[in-house]
Amino acid sequence: MTSSEIQSIKQRFGIIGNAPALNYAIQVAAQVAPTDMTVLITGESGSGKESFSKIIHALSPRKHGQFIAVNCGAIPEGTIDSELFGHEKGSFTGASEARKGYFEVTNGGTIFLDEIGEMPLGTQARLLRVLENGEFIRVGSSKVQKTDVRVVTATNVNLLDAVREGRFREDLYYRLNTVPITVPPLRERGEDIYLLFRKFATDFAERYRVKPITLTPDAVQELQRFRFPGNIRQLKNIAEQISVLQTEQREVDSRRLRHYLPQDQSSNLPMLIGATADGVAPSGLSERDLLYKVLFDMRRDMTDLKKLVLELAAGGARYDGSQAQELVRQNSHLFAGSGLAAYEGSPGRLSRPTDTGNESFIISQADADYEEEDEAQRVEDITHETEEESLSLEAKEKEMIVKALKKHHNKRKYAAQDLGISERTLYRKLKQYDLE
C-alpha cells in the first residue's frame, strides 16, 4: 500500500499523525478489510482502537451492512448474553417480550466487541460457537439460529495473561487473534502529539468561538515529554480545558502548560545530564540506548568483579598483602558498594564484614590448608555462575529480538522501535546472534 493511499484513509476517517507504527497499523487494517477474517485490535485505553474497526468495516464488502460497537466491559454480566444473542419472552424477570440480540440484528454486517477481555467465561463459550459455525441460541430458547457477522474485537489488557489466569478461554483467544493489529500509545508517536493538540485546539476554538490556543516551542517540548496514560482521550480533554480556562493569554508557554498537566503522570524516565529536549544526549544516543548501554556496562563490571574475586580466591596463598592491595586499588571501581573492605596491614589478609556480625572472612595463608577438591569446587562454582549469568542475559536478549521481529513480520524498523533501540543497534545484534 502506498503512502498516498494511507493518507487518503487518514483523511477519510479523521486520523491525525504520521508515526510509522500508526501507518503500519492502518496498512494492516486496510489489507485485512476485504476478507472475513477475525481481527484482534490491541492498544491502551484511549489510543483510538475503534477507528480501526470502522476502517475495516468501511473498506469491506459488508460496508452496506450494519455496524455495531459493543463495550463488553460496560454491560453487566447478567444481561450480556441477552444483549448479544437476544432472549425469548418470559426467559427471565423483566423479559416482557422477545428481543433480538446484536448478532441477529447485524446479520450481514460487522460487530465490534470492545474490551473483549472483560467478557464472562460463559459468554465466551457462546461467542466461540458463533465464530466457529455462525450459530447462536437466544436466552430462554432451544432453537438454533444462524447469523453471518464479521467480528472485530479490541482489548487493552494482555489476553495471554488472562488465559494463564483462567479468565479467558485459550481456544477463543487463538480464534480471535487471526490477524492482530497493535495501535501505538500516544507517548510513542512523537510529533503526532502536537499535531493532535493543534487539531483539538482549533475544533474547540470554533465550538466556543474563541481564538485558538497556541504553544511556544518550549511548551511543545513539554507536551511531547508527557506520558499521556489516557492517550488521545486525555490529550483532547487537556486541550479543551486550556481552551476554556486560558481566557487572557492564548499563547501558552511551558510554565503555564504544566498547570494543566497532572504532575503524578509525568515521565518517570531518569534525567540525562546534558540531554536535549527530545531526550537525545549530545552523543546522539536516545535515553533508551543509554539505559541499555548502562545495563550492559554493569553486567560487564559484575563479570570482571567475579573474575577478580575468583583470582583472589584461587591464589590467596600466593599473594602477599602489598600485591593484593595494589590489585584491589587498580580495580576499585568494581568494589564500589560491594561490601568488600580494604586489605589490612598484615600480609596475606583480605577481610570484609560477614552477614552475621563484625566477624571477618579471612583469605590468608591458612587458606592453603583447605583440601584441593574443596578449593577446586569453589573455583568451579564461581566460574559457572559467571558464565551462566552472561549466557542467560544474552539468551533473553536474543529471545526478545526474535519476538519483536515475529510480531512485526520481520520489519526491522518497527521491531527496533518496539525494542526501544536504534535500527543500527538491531542490525548489530542480528549479526551478533546470527539471526540475519
Side-chain angles (χ1 to χ4, degrees):
M1 176 173 287
T2 64
S3 57
S4 60
E5 291 174 328
I6 294 177
Q7 191 63 33
S8 175
I9 293 175
K10 291 180 186 177
Q11 293 175 352
R12 178 177 175 182
F13 294 95
I15 298 176
I16 307 295
N18 298 301
L22 176 69
N23 290 339
Y24 178 71
I26 293 174
Q27 179 180 341
V28 174
Q31 289 176 334
V32 76
T35 72
D36 268 341
M37 301 173 70
T38 306
V39 179
L40 175 62
I41 305 172
T42 59
E44 296 181 5
S45 179
S47 57
K49 297 187 291 295
E50 186 170 347
S51 298
F52 288 86
S53 67
K54 292 178 180 179
I55 291 175
I56 293 171
H57 174 71
L59 300 181
S60 73
R62 298 173 180 269
K63 60 185 178 181
H64 299 298
Q66 192 163 357
F67 173 86
I68 291 182
V70 181
N71 189 332
C72 299
I75 304 176
E77 183 174 349
T79 61
I80 189 169
D81 284 356
S82 172
E83 293 288 329
L84 293 177
F85 308 108
H87 63 259
E88 297 292 345
K89 180 179 179 180
S91 57
F92 55 87
T93 303
S96 56
E97 59 183 5
R99 178 185 178 279
K100 293 182 178 180
Y102 295 133
F103 277 97
E104 191 171 351
V105 171
T106 55
N107 187 26
T110 304
I111 184 169
F112 173 55
L113 300 177
D114 197 6
E115 307 301 344
I116 189 69
E118 305 298 325
M119 179 178 286
L121 286 170
T123 309
Q124 292 176 28
R126 288 172 171 262
L127 174 61
L128 183 61
R129 183 175 182 180
V130 174
L131 294 174
E132 292 291 348
N133 49 37
E135 296 179 350
F136 70 95
I137 301 176
R138 286 185 181 182
V139 176
S141 174
S142 58
K143 180 182 178 182
V144 177
Q145 300 193 48
K146 300 283 289 187
T147 185
D148 178 21
V149 176
R150 169 79 174 274
V151 177
V152 179
T153 61
T155 182
N156 63 353
V157 301
N158 190 320
L159 289 185
L160 277 177
D161 289 343
V163 169
R164 284 191 287 267
E165 295 168 5
R167 295 184 290 107
F168 202 83
R169 293 178 61 103
E170 184 175 13
D171 48 3
L172 178 60
Y173 167 75
Y174 290 112
R175 185 63 179 81
L176 293 175
N177 199 30
T178 306
V179 179
I181 296 177
T182 302
V183 182
L186 183 59
R187 60 181 169 275
E188 295 181 3
R189 291 176 54 181
E191 296 178 356
D192 289 0
I193 297 174
Y194 181 51
L195 294 177
L196 285 163
F197 181 88
R198 286 198 310 178
K199 170 65 166 58
F200 295 145
T202 302
D203 292 345
F204 291 127
E206 294 177 358
R207 178 185 299 181
Y208 300 119
R209 298 181 181 180
V210 293
K211 183 180 177 181
I213 288 289
T214 58
L215 300 180
T216 61
D218 61 326
V220 173
Q221 295 173 359
E222 184 75 25
L223 188 73
Q224 293 177 343
R225 283 197 296 264
F226 189 70
R227 291 184 62 250
F228 287 106
N231 292 290
I232 299 175
R233 187 182 296 121
Q234 183 180 18
L235 176 63
K236 184 176 181 180
N237 291 341
I238 291 174
E240 183 174 17
Q241 185 181 8
I242 298 175
S243 298
V244 173
L245 299 181
Q246 196 67 28
T247 55
E248 297 181 0
Q249 182 65 32
R250 303 301 288 179
E251 185 180 50
V252 178
D253 58 15
S254 60
R255 182 185 62 83
R256 177 60 57 182
L257 179 62
R258 281 193 288 269
H259 288 289
Y260 297 97
L261 300 178
Q263 294 302 309
D264 58 342
Q265 296 176 356
S266 300
S267 174
N268 55 1
L269 291 175
M271 178 180 295
L272 297 177
I273 298 176
T276 59
D278 58 357
V280 178
S283 61
L285 296 174
S286 67
E287 287 183 347
R288 287 186 176 180
D289 288 334
L290 288 175
L291 287 174
Y292 271 108
K293 184 178 183 300
V294 169
L295 290 173
F296 282 109
D297 286 346
M298 288 175 62
R299 185 186 72 177
R300 185 178 62 251
D301 286 348
M302 287 301 298
T303 302
D304 292 343
L305 175 59
K306 290 180 179 179
K307 289 179 179 177
L308 180 59
V309 174
L310 171 63
E311 185 178 355
L312 288 172
R318 299 192 302 272
Y319 285 104
D320 60 25
S322 59
Q323 288 176 317
Q325 281 183 331
E326 179 62 21
L327 186 60
V328 173
R329 187 189 64 77
Q330 293 174 357
N331 295 274
S332 59
H333 68 286
L334 299 178
F335 289 94
S338 66
L340 288 173
Y343 278 88
E344 297 178 351
S346 57
R349 289 180 175 270
L350 168 65
S351 67
R352 64 172 176 82
T354 64
D355 296 334
T356 58
N358 294 324
E359 300 175 359
S360 295
F361 169 76
I362 308 298
I363 299 177
S364 66
Q365 187 68 32
D367 293 338
D369 296 334
Y370 287 169
E371 294 183 2
E372 293 184 2
E373 57 270 27
D374 291 340
E375 182 68 25
Q377 183 62 46
R378 287 189 288 117
V379 172
E380 182 180 351
D381 289 344
I382 296 176
T383 305
H384 177 71
E385 181 182 354
T386 302
E387 294 177 351
E388 185 174 350
E389 179 183 356
S390 177
L391 290 174
S392 63
L393 286 171
E394 292 179 356
K396 190 64 177 178
E397 184 179 49
K398 181 177 180 181
E399 178 185 351
M400 295 302 295
I401 292 174
V402 172
K403 284 184 178 180
L405 289 171
K406 185 177 180 181
K407 175 181 176 182
H408 296 285
H409 307 288
N410 289 323
K411 294 185 181 295
R412 296 179 178 179
K413 180 178 181 180
Y414 302 125
Q417 291 175 351
D418 203 2
L419 291 168
I421 59 178
S422 65
E423 287 187 67
R424 183 174 60 183
T425 301
L426 178 58
Y427 290 141
R428 179 168 54 81
K429 293 295 181 182
L430 291 175
K431 186 175 181 181
Q432 176 183 343
Y433 296 127
D434 196 21
L435 294 175
E436 293 184 310

